[in-house]
Amino acid sequence: MKFALALLAIVATASAKIEIPNFGRGELYKDIQDFLDLMPQEEILAITLQYYGEDKEFQTMIQYFQSKEFKNLVAEVEALPEIKILMNYIHDAGIDIYKIVNLLNDALGLPPLTPPSTLVLGTQITGGIKGYVKDILAILPSKELNDLYEKKLKTSEAFRSFIKQLESKNFQEIVNKVYVNPKFQALLKHAKDAGIDLIVLKDLLKILWGITVPGN
């Protein structure tokens, strides 16, 4: 139910600019915000809502996100020491990552984590998780995003440091530990049994961040 209410809340505020919660310090939140500002947010939301209303594979995924199994998986992932290291890094860089994560926890009924001190629907959708990713990628300003990425790597120490975190051994260890987690393996089996295509997400992680997800 909370997921449905959350979707309605998103619709109600769709015209509002999405802003990264921050402490007003550091440069990283400004770097991330620059990328968000390039995103066609209303179009992304429209596609997401259309998939939610029309696509069975997408609906199955959302149903799983509301399950006890997924809730337990999120709790176990959040308890990983490597996750705490990453979150504290982002927190110290000026982004209120705990506020963002706690929005998810609230929707799932999980306890909050404590930090250290107008839409147009009706377009043709491709269908399926692979189709959803394809439809979203099709509306993103890829050249502008790539140009901004390269610019930030050259001009922003905060952004370079953040990318190094994503490429670090610590982050890869997070991926490895989550992958072998029995609940995550159950998620993969659930997705496979439901016909949900997760390979495209695995490929995206490799292409965008160089993150290697184990397994076939």
Side-chain angles (χ1 to χ4, degrees), residues 16-37 39 41 90-91 93-101 103 162:
K17 176 183 176 182
I18 298 177
E19 295 186 347
I20 293 288
N22 65 83
F23 301 115
R25 69 168 187 260
E27 297 297 319
L28 181 58
Y29 81 90
K30 296 178 183 177
D31 293 328
I32 302 300
Q33 188 65 53
D34 285 342
F35 283 95
L36 277 180
D37 290 345
M39 299 291 187
Q41 295 169 11
I90 296 174
H91 177 273
I95 293 177
D96 194 352
I97 185 65
Y98 284 88
K99 180 177 181 179
I100 298 171
V101 171
L103 289 174
F162 175 64

Side-chain angles (χ1 to χ4, degrees), residues 1-11 49 52 62 66 107:
M1 177 60 71
K2 279 197 172 185
F3 271 79
L5 292 175
L7 281 172
L8 289 175
I10 291 173
V11 172
L49 290 178
Y52 182 76
I62 296 299
Q66 300 175 77

